[in-house]
Amino acid sequence: MAFLRVLVALLAMIGGASASTYTVGDQLGWTVPPAGDVAYKVWAAEKSFDLGDTVVFNWNGTHDVAEVSKVDYDNCTTTNPIGTIQKTSPYSVTLNGNSSRYFICTVSTHCKQGQKVTLSIGGASSIVARAFSTIVVSVLVFAFISHVH
Ligand SMILES: *[C@@H]1O[C@H](CO)[C@@H](O)[C@H](O)[C@H]1NC(C)=O
Ligand SMILES: *[C@@H]1O[C@H](CO)[C@@H](O)[C@H](O)[C@H]1NC(C)=O
Ligand SMILES: *[C@@H]1O[C@H](CO)[C@@H](O)[C@H](O)[C@H]1NC(C)=O
Ligand SMILES: [Cu+2]
């Protein structure tokens, strides 16, 4: 069934093409930002993250990346990370579940100085858009299969 293999490859391409990669802070990278937590808030607000997207933390110098709870994020509590504190740049996170995830730098007072970022998955509209494109692709696949037979 060669055409099935082609179909699977095609679907993989469509699925892969819809996942994006973002770099935290863009050119700024992951650092103590110049004016409190504004830079990363603005950066995150400009993005529309989806399930399956990858977010890369990129830094020079002494920083790290720790995922924390919202409470620990708000308070910059560095002693209670979810999982391992990442000390090697670059570090990539794939958004695969919870709607909001919270990341801080645990070095010195960097978090309190604004080195913290919230990654929130796009919300209802992006889920609807993704479901819609899945339905369109399925209809095309079924049309193609019926046409072949
Ligand atoms: C790290 O330093 C290199 C060399 O100076 C520079 O090209 C790069 O943009 C820096 N990366 C970040 C994230 O600051
Ligand atoms: C908030 O952070 C301070 C240190 O910055 C810590 O002493 C305190 O226990 C934290 N509070 C909570 C509720 O985590
Ligand atoms: C997802 O949320 C649950 C409950 O809030 C939490 O226990 C879990 O650690 C979270 N997972 C990730 C990957 O953040
Ligand atoms: Cu830092």
Side-chain angles (χ1 to χ4, degrees):
M1 304 293 294
F3 88 91
L4 270 184
R5 275 199 290 275
V6 171
L7 223 54
V8 167
L10 203 66
L11 287 178
M13 269 170 62
I14 292 167
S18 61
S20 310
T21 299
Y22 300 96
T23 301
V24 174
D26 294 323
Q27 296 88 345
L28 177 65
W30 182 236
T31 188
V32 175
D37 61 3
V38 177
Y40 294 123
K41 273 191 175 149
V42 169
W43 175 83
E46 286 169 347
K47 308 293 182 286
S48 175
F49 302 111
D50 269 320
L51 279 179
D53 285 352
T54 299
V55 178
V56 183
F57 292 82
N58 216 339
W59 69 91
N60 292 318
T62 309
H63 300 290
D64 61 24
V65 181
E67 182 163 6
V68 294
S69 68
K70 182 174 193 320
V71 169
D72 290 346
Y73 178 87
D74 289 340
N75 190 47
C76 282
T77 301
T78 59
T79 50
N80 193 27
I82 300 169
T84 311
I85 296 176
Q86 303 297 326
K87 303 195 167 178
T88 307
S89 171
Y91 173 60
S92 296
V93 171
T94 298
L95 302 177
N96 53 12
N98 293 345
S99 53
S100 288
R101 294 173 68 180
Y102 305 92
F103 297 88
I104 65 172
C105 176
T106 72
V107 173
S108 180
T109 56
H110 292 188
C111 176
K112 282 220 158 44
Q113 293 177 75
Q115 194 177 4
K116 59 198 300 197
V117 68
T118 305
L119 305 178
S120 296
I121 290 194
S125 63
S126 75
I127 291 165
V128 169
R130 202 152 276 215
F132 181 73
S133 65
T134 303
I135 290 167
V136 169
V137 169
S138 308
V139 168
L140 287 175
V141 166
F142 282 122
F144 180 69
I145 290 172
S146 343
H147 179 75
V148 164
H149 285 325

